[in-house]
Amino acid sequence: MAGQPVEVDGGIMEGGGQILRVSTALSCLLGLPLRVQNIRAGRSTPGLRPQHLSGLKMIQDLCDGQLEGAEIGSTEIMFTPEKIKGGIHTADTKTAGSVCLLMQVSMPCVLFAASPSELRLKGGTNAEMAPQIDYTVMVFKPIVEKFGFKFNCDIKIRGYYPKGGGEVIVQISPVKQLNPINLTDCGSVTKIHGRAFVAGVLPFKVAKEMAAAAVRCIRKEYRDLYVNIQPVQEAKDQAFGNGSGIIIIAETSTGCLLAGSSLGKRGVNADKVGIEAAEMLLANLRHGGAVDEYLQDQLIIFMALASGVSRIKTGPITLHTQTAIHFAEQLAKAKFTVKKSENEDDASKDTYIIECQGIGMTNPNL
């Protein structure tokens, strides 16, 4: 089990929490001791923040690993994993740190546990710089389940910046192996739907304005399509704190799901928030990818672990995706190729195919 730890430079490429998430998850899965240095070296507040710490503690808890250097502000950690176990695991960022990012780090691991797991994740459900929980449930979940597993995600209470206070419960059973995926045919858009929400003290008209502005924006490009964006006032007992935001999802004839989303901020009018989400969705659709820019990097670790060749077609490759590929190759020895799509329809678009020969990880416990 032990041996020389794999050395990871936490300051390269994306240079943030993502390197920590990908490398510790792979370390846990592959039983590789890991040393991560220069953690978030270039950030305005370098080193570990509360949400990174809660993610690390969760991974440690998942496999009874040894963790050194895990404190706020630390720029170096050493992690020695043991066997992944199921059961109930709790992680609490105690801030608006994203529950979706906690899910990103823990989900690949518990798929290879000995028994089913329940992840109780506390923090922000709709937070900046992270997928909104609605994205995780409405886009990430149906697509990632194509790898051949199912999970249940129950939003107990929503939490917003700066206090967090949300809670999500994820139930997931282990698998023997992951299947490869092929998401290269984006088809044509069949419907667009979404949710504009307000919570706490914010007036309902803010949700209505966000939704209306987004619909107007989409209508300019998709005149005849059914577009339904529901304004929602979140119930007092189901939301902690004040927040607002919008998520819009396009479904295609081949079952692809692409999204755009935005969160309300102080001093930004509701129309602008709605338009931002709509523009993001339209930009993703114009690239002709089968996967949007936010799903791109989240699929990399699963592609690396699957057996066989996975392919996804997407717009421009994000720095998060390049980073995930780099560490999946370094740690898991999966083989990725990224090339421009050669399909003639894509010639004028910035469209790429990410292909991966997965390592065919098998669950030793099943």
Side-chain angles (χ1 to χ4, degrees), residues 162-179:
K163 290 202 187 98
E167 182 176 13
V168 172
I169 295 183
V170 179
Q171 287 158 324
I172 189 161
S173 290
V175 289
K176 183 70 192 161
Q177 210 172 25
L178 295 175
N179 307 324

Side-chain angles (χ1 to χ4, degrees), residues 164-236:
E167 182 176 13
V168 172
I169 295 183
V170 179
Q171 287 158 324
I172 189 161
S173 290
V175 289
K176 183 70 192 161
Q177 210 172 25
L178 295 175
N179 307 324
I181 59 166
N182 188 339
L183 295 173
T184 49
D185 178 4
C186 62
S188 55
V189 179
T190 52
K191 72 174 198 187
I192 293 179
H193 59 96
R195 173 180 197 276
F197 72 88
V198 289
V201 298
L202 296 165
F204 185 53
K205 76 172 202 317
V206 169
K208 290 199 285 207
E209 283 166 15
M210 283 190 290
V215 171
R216 282 197 303 275
C217 187
I218 291 163
R219 281 262 181 265
K220 289 182 194 148
E221 246 167 273
Y222 289 89
R223 284 187 185 80
D224 308 323
L225 205 60
Y226 177 68
V227 182
N228 175 22
I229 302 176
Q230 236 19 87
V232 182
Q233 170 86 56
E234 286 178 356
K236 289 272 185 283

Side-chain angles (χ1 to χ4, degrees), residues 246-285:
I246 180 170
I247 177 163
I248 314 166
I249 294 163
E251 293 187 21
T252 76
S253 53
T254 51
C256 296
L257 299 164
L258 297 97
S261 64
S262 182
L263 288 170
K265 293 178 217 41
R266 257 200 198 124
V268 178
N269 72 25
D271 287 24
K272 200 169 164 193
V273 180
I275 290 165
E276 184 178 59
E279 299 270 358
M280 187 189 288
L281 173 64
L282 293 170
N284 274 306
L285 291 171

